[in-house]
Amino acid sequence: QVQVVESGGGLVQAGGSLRLSCTVSGLTFADVNMGWFRQAPGKEREGVLCIKWSGLITSYSDSVKGRFTISRDNAKNTLYLQMNSLKVEDTAMYYCAAGLDCRSGATPYWGQGTQVTVSS
């Protein structure tokens, strides 16, 4: 059984930073692509960043370029999203995706989400 668990969300002021983590069990983490998605209230879920098993990174959103960084620690079965210079419009539920196709975004395994709220 695959389990995907996010952590690290919270309330932060605009301009601040947060680091999200996602731990995965039940699959060979080093062999799968991993990604972050987000969904703001009233909006559809959108892709943020994807990192392949090889380390190749795909960005889905121009709005986070230069501010968000995705990384993985295969030894810890953990995915990270470092978010800097946060903006109010980054407020959303952030979801970890495991085993996804970075090109299409099709994802077999999702976490429950962690809330990020950025105040002005």
Side-chain angles (χ1 to χ4, degrees), residues 11-118:
L11 175 64
V12 63
Q13 285 192 328
S17 298
L18 279 176
R19 189 177 80 157
L20 306 184
S21 299
C22 170
T23 57
V24 181
S25 59
L27 51 72
T28 304
F29 183 83
D31 291 347
V32 300
N33 303 335
M34 296 292 299
W36 290 101
F37 289 70
R38 67 185 182 182
Q39 186 168 17
K43 295 187 177 182
E44 293 187 354
R45 188 175 298 187
E46 64 172 358
V48 179
L49 289 162
C50 183
I51 183 167
K52 294 190 71 173
W53 60 271
S54 61
L56 183 68
I57 294 171
T58 298
S59 177
Y60 298 118
S61 174
D62 288 342
S63 67
V64 306
K65 284 184 179 178
R67 301 189 299 120
F68 289 13
T69 303
I70 190 172
S71 62
R72 62 192 297 161
D73 185 335
N74 291 339
K76 295 182 178 180
N77 285 9
T78 301
L79 176 74
Y80 301 102
L81 182 67
Q82 178 66 45
M83 304 185 293
N84 299 328
S85 302
L86 282 160
K87 303 177 180 180
V88 172
E89 51 263 41
D90 294 318
T91 295
M93 185 71 79
Y94 283 72
Y95 296 92
C96 179
L100 77 161
D101 181 318
C102 288
R103 180 175 297 182
S104 69
T107 300
Y109 306 108
W110 292 99
Q112 81 289 349
T114 187
Q115 179 67 39
V116 172
T117 302
V118 184

